[in-house]
Amino acid sequence: MGTMRVKAKLKNGVVNVKAMAKHAMMTYNMAEKKTGSRDNANFITHISASVNGKTVLDMSTSQFLSKNPIFKFQFKGDEFKKGDKLEMKWVDLKGKTGKGKTKIK
Amino acid sequence: MQRRKFLGLTLGALALSAIPAQLAAEDFRKSKPKVWSAHTVDDAIKAMYGSNNLVMEGVKLKAPDVASNGGAIPVSFSTTKDVKTIAVFQDANPEAAVLVVDVNPYSVNNYSVKIKMAKSGTITIVAEGKDGKLYTAKKTLDVALGGCEG
């Protein structure tokens, strides 16, 4: 299973999240060049995040995120508190999944 | 008997209330497959929203004027409009779509992400307002070293 590094900080009612998934993000063109077949392309297609079972991020993605994609997002923190667990998940084109979690600081 | 009936009803009500929350998470790769294979930004936007009627306001987009490494171009975008989805497109790669965020009640709609661009081109952010308008921001940038290896 893949991994994802996550940091989350609650400030002024907003949770700031920084996340990095470890993934090659092989595009169709790269796969064709390196392996001779477009079918070897593989990249993260969906990323989601939840706290206490509530979805706070839901994102469909293509091969054009950078290698080891890194991104930041924010969500309203009124219902959440420091110490709550933020869980993130990704799934790639081949069906492999990755997970990451952190406590909101 | 009374109690059993009551429990049954409660469970049913719980199940019903749980469904919308699950439906809220939409996988746009499954529901709108054409968005991801579209070669031009116009086609991708049309496949996603059924319209190309863009309004050039309401979205902030930050990206470098010149990106030295096309493999990881930092892009920040945000909107304060009441929106359903936010999508990122570009015209430098074989396909146009980069990502689509399904906005939820907790979203603040301020994102930063690193993307790949094979050559110089234009990044387009489209935020689909709940009022039906497609709020848009565009930015053209130079890419010194392409990020998709051709």
Side-chain angles (χ1 to χ4, degrees), chain B residues 52-74:
Chain B
N52 271 342
N53 203 356
L54 306 176
V55 188
M56 296 299 286
E57 61 168 57
V59 179
K60 274 189 194 155
L61 163 61
K62 221 175 99 186
D65 294 321
V66 179
S68 53
N69 174 14
I73 302 169

Side-chain angles (χ1 to χ4, degrees), chain B residues 60-64 74-77 139:
Chain B
K60 274 189 194 155
L61 163 61
K62 221 175 99 186
V75 180
S76 302
F77 51 99
K139 162 120 190 172

Side-chain angles (χ1 to χ4, degrees), chain A residues 79-98:
Chain A
E79 277 185 37
F80 311 117
K81 59 186 189 301
K82 293 181 184 189
D84 280 357
K85 214 197 300 170
L86 172 75
E87 291 182 84
M88 295 198 63
K89 254 190 250 174
W90 57 255
V91 59
D92 70 15
L93 199 62
K94 308 276 185 201
K96 203 181 143 195
T97 57

